[in-house]
Amino acid sequence: MFDKHIEYSFVEPDSYPVIKAIGYAPLSAQPGDSESQKMLMALKVSKLEAYRELAEQVYGQSLSADMTVKGAIAQNDGLKSQVKGLIRGARVVKSYAVGDTYTTELELDMKRVHDLYITQVKPRKVKRVTYY
Protein backbone atom coordinates (compact mmCIF):
# COMPACT_ATOMS: atom_id res chain seq x y z
CA MET A 1 0.00 0.00 0.00
CA PHE A 2 1.25 3.47 -0.87
CA ASP A 3 0.88 6.74 0.97
CA LYS A 4 -0.11 9.56 -1.30
CA HIS A 5 -0.57 13.30 -1.34
CA ILE A 6 -3.22 14.79 -3.62
CA GLU A 7 -3.12 18.40 -4.81
CA TYR A 8 -6.32 19.97 -6.10
CA SER A 9 -6.93 22.94 -8.36
CA PHE A 10 -10.13 24.91 -8.73
CA VAL A 11 -11.95 25.01 -12.05
CA GLU A 12 -13.13 28.41 -13.24
CA PRO A 13 -14.97 29.24 -16.46
CA ASP A 14 -13.49 31.59 -19.06
CA SER A 15 -16.26 34.19 -18.83
CA TYR A 16 -19.30 35.01 -16.73
CA PRO A 17 -22.59 36.47 -17.99
CA VAL A 18 -24.49 39.24 -16.23
CA ILE A 19 -28.23 38.59 -16.15
CA LYS A 20 -30.57 41.58 -15.88
CA ALA A 21 -34.22 41.76 -14.84
CA ILE A 22 -36.83 44.49 -14.35
CA GLY A 23 -39.85 44.38 -12.06
CA TYR A 24 -42.87 46.69 -12.19
CA ALA A 25 -45.65 47.54 -9.73
CA PRO A 26 -48.52 50.04 -10.03
CA LEU A 27 -48.45 52.66 -7.26
CA SER A 28 -52.17 53.42 -7.12
CA ALA A 29 -53.17 49.74 -6.82
CA GLN A 30 -51.11 49.16 -3.66
CA PRO A 31 -52.77 48.92 -0.23
CA GLY A 32 -52.03 51.72 2.21
CA ASP A 33 -53.51 54.80 3.85
CA SER A 34 -50.96 57.26 2.52
CA GLU A 35 -48.97 57.79 -0.65
CA SER A 36 -45.78 56.94 1.26
CA GLN A 37 -47.15 53.54 2.29
CA LYS A 38 -48.28 52.84 -1.26
CA MET A 39 -44.86 53.81 -2.58
CA LEU A 40 -43.09 51.48 -0.12
CA MET A 41 -45.40 48.61 -1.07
CA ALA A 42 -44.85 49.26 -4.78
CA LEU A 43 -41.08 49.30 -4.15
CA LYS A 44 -41.29 45.87 -2.46
CA VAL A 45 -43.55 44.41 -5.14
CA SER A 46 -41.40 45.67 -8.01
CA LYS A 47 -38.31 44.19 -6.35
CA LEU A 48 -40.04 40.83 -5.89
CA GLU A 49 -41.18 40.88 -9.52
CA ALA A 50 -37.60 41.53 -10.63
CA TYR A 51 -36.37 38.62 -8.50
CA ARG A 52 -39.08 36.42 -10.04
CA GLU A 53 -37.87 37.37 -13.50
CA LEU A 54 -34.28 36.51 -12.51
CA ALA A 55 -35.45 33.13 -11.19
CA GLU A 56 -37.26 32.49 -14.49
CA GLN A 57 -34.06 33.19 -16.41
CA VAL A 58 -31.88 31.05 -14.14
CA TYR A 59 -34.19 28.09 -13.41
CA GLY A 60 -36.86 28.28 -16.11
CA GLN A 61 -40.59 28.26 -15.65
CA SER A 62 -42.88 25.30 -15.03
CA LEU A 63 -46.10 25.42 -17.01
CA SER A 64 -49.23 23.31 -16.76
CA ALA A 65 -52.38 23.63 -18.79
CA ASP A 66 -55.80 22.05 -18.88
CA MET A 67 -58.79 22.33 -21.16
CA THR A 68 -62.27 20.89 -21.03
CA VAL A 69 -64.02 20.24 -24.32
CA LYS A 70 -67.73 19.40 -24.58
CA GLY A 71 -69.42 18.85 -27.92
CA ALA A 72 -66.34 20.07 -29.84
CA ILE A 73 -66.50 23.40 -27.96
CA ALA A 74 -63.91 24.51 -25.43
CA GLN A 75 -65.65 24.91 -22.07
CA ASN A 76 -62.76 25.66 -19.80
CA ASP A 77 -59.19 26.59 -20.63
CA GLY A 78 -56.55 27.19 -17.97
CA LEU A 79 -52.82 27.85 -17.82
CA LYS A 80 -50.71 27.92 -14.66
CA SER A 81 -47.07 28.91 -14.34
CA GLN A 82 -44.71 28.47 -11.43
CA VAL A 83 -41.12 29.44 -10.69
CA LYS A 84 -39.03 28.00 -7.89
CA GLY A 85 -35.45 28.90 -7.13
CA LEU A 86 -32.95 30.58 -4.89
CA ILE A 87 -31.26 33.75 -6.10
CA ARG A 88 -28.08 34.81 -4.31
CA GLY A 89 -25.82 37.69 -5.18
CA ALA A 90 -28.30 39.85 -7.08
CA ARG A 91 -27.78 43.60 -6.90
CA VAL A 92 -30.36 46.36 -7.16
CA VAL A 93 -29.14 48.63 -9.95
CA LYS A 94 -31.85 51.26 -9.44
CA SER A 95 -35.43 51.78 -8.30
CA TYR A 96 -37.58 54.62 -9.57
CA ALA A 97 -41.12 55.73 -10.29
CA VAL A 98 -42.36 56.50 -13.79
CA GLY A 99 -45.85 57.91 -13.65
CA ASP A 100 -48.02 55.47 -11.70
CA THR A 101 -45.54 52.59 -11.99
CA TYR A 102 -42.63 51.77 -9.71
CA THR A 103 -39.70 50.03 -11.39
CA THR A 104 -36.78 48.08 -9.94
CA GLU A 105 -33.81 46.95 -12.03
CA LEU A 106 -31.69 44.04 -10.80
CA GLU A 107 -28.59 42.37 -12.13
CA LEU A 108 -27.05 39.04 -11.31
CA ASP A 109 -23.33 38.85 -12.03
CA MET A 110 -22.55 35.16 -12.44
CA LYS A 111 -18.94 35.84 -11.35
CA ARG A 112 -20.29 36.86 -7.95
CA VAL A 113 -22.56 33.79 -7.89
CA HIS A 114 -19.55 31.61 -8.73
CA ASP A 115 -17.53 33.19 -5.91
CA LEU A 116 -20.39 32.53 -3.46
CA TYR A 117 -20.60 28.95 -4.72
CA ILE A 118 -16.85 28.38 -4.34
CA THR A 119 -16.88 29.54 -0.71
CA GLN A 120 -19.66 27.07 0.16
CA VAL A 121 -19.11 23.99 -2.00
CA LYS A 122 -15.39 24.22 -2.81
CA PRO A 123 -15.53 22.22 -6.08
CA ARG A 124 -12.15 20.98 -7.22
CA LYS A 125 -10.32 18.63 -9.55
CA VAL A 126 -7.21 16.56 -8.98
CA LYS A 127 -4.13 18.53 -9.95
CA ARG A 128 -1.40 16.07 -9.02
CA VAL A 129 -0.99 12.86 -7.01
CA THR A 130 2.36 12.06 -5.41
CA TYR A 131 2.98 8.53 -4.14
CA TYR A 132 5.50 7.84 -1.38
Side-chain angles (χ1 to χ4, degrees):
M1 182 168 302
F2 295 101
D3 285 333
K4 62 183 173 183
H5 172 72
I6 301 173
E7 290 182 42
Y8 293 98
S9 66
F10 292 102
V11 179
E12 191 166 341
D14 296 332
S15 64
Y16 297 92
V18 176
I19 301 171
K20 297 181 182 200
I22 300 174
Y24 303 99
L27 285 163
S28 60
Q30 301 305 317
D33 297 329
S34 68
E35 290 300 314
S36 297
Q37 287 176 331
K38 289 182 178 195
M39 186 195 66
L40 288 173
M41 290 302 290
L43 172 64
K44 286 182 182 183
V45 171
S46 68
K47 188 175 179 182
L48 285 173
E49 285 293 312
Y51 270 103
R52 181 188 55 79
E53 187 177 322
L54 276 179
E56 285 176 3
Q57 292 180 54
V58 172
Y59 295 101
Q61 190 174 76
S62 173
L63 298 172
S64 62
D66 62 55
M67 178 187 282
T68 305
V69 178
K70 185 175 181 181
I73 300 172
Q75 300 291 315
N76 197 354
D77 192 6
L79 180 65
K80 178 183 175 184
S81 72
Q82 184 176 19
V83 176
K84 286 186 179 181
L86 174 66
I87 300 293
R88 277 196 184 138
R91 180 177 77 87
V92 176
V93 176
K94 57 182 159 178
S95 292
Y96 53 92
V98 177
D100 188 47
T101 304
Y102 210 89
T103 305
T104 299
E105 297 180 18
L106 291 180
E107 72 177 18
L108 182 61
D109 185 348
M110 296 309 278
K111 168 75 171 128
R112 185 171 181 202
V113 172
H114 181 265
D115 292 344
L116 290 169
Y117 173 73
I118 291 293
T119 59
Q120 291 182 352
V121 178
K122 299 185 185 346
R124 55 191 181 174
K125 71 175 185 175
V126 175
K127 181 178 177 183
R128 179 175 27 169
V129 178
T130 308
Y131 293 95
Y132 301 103

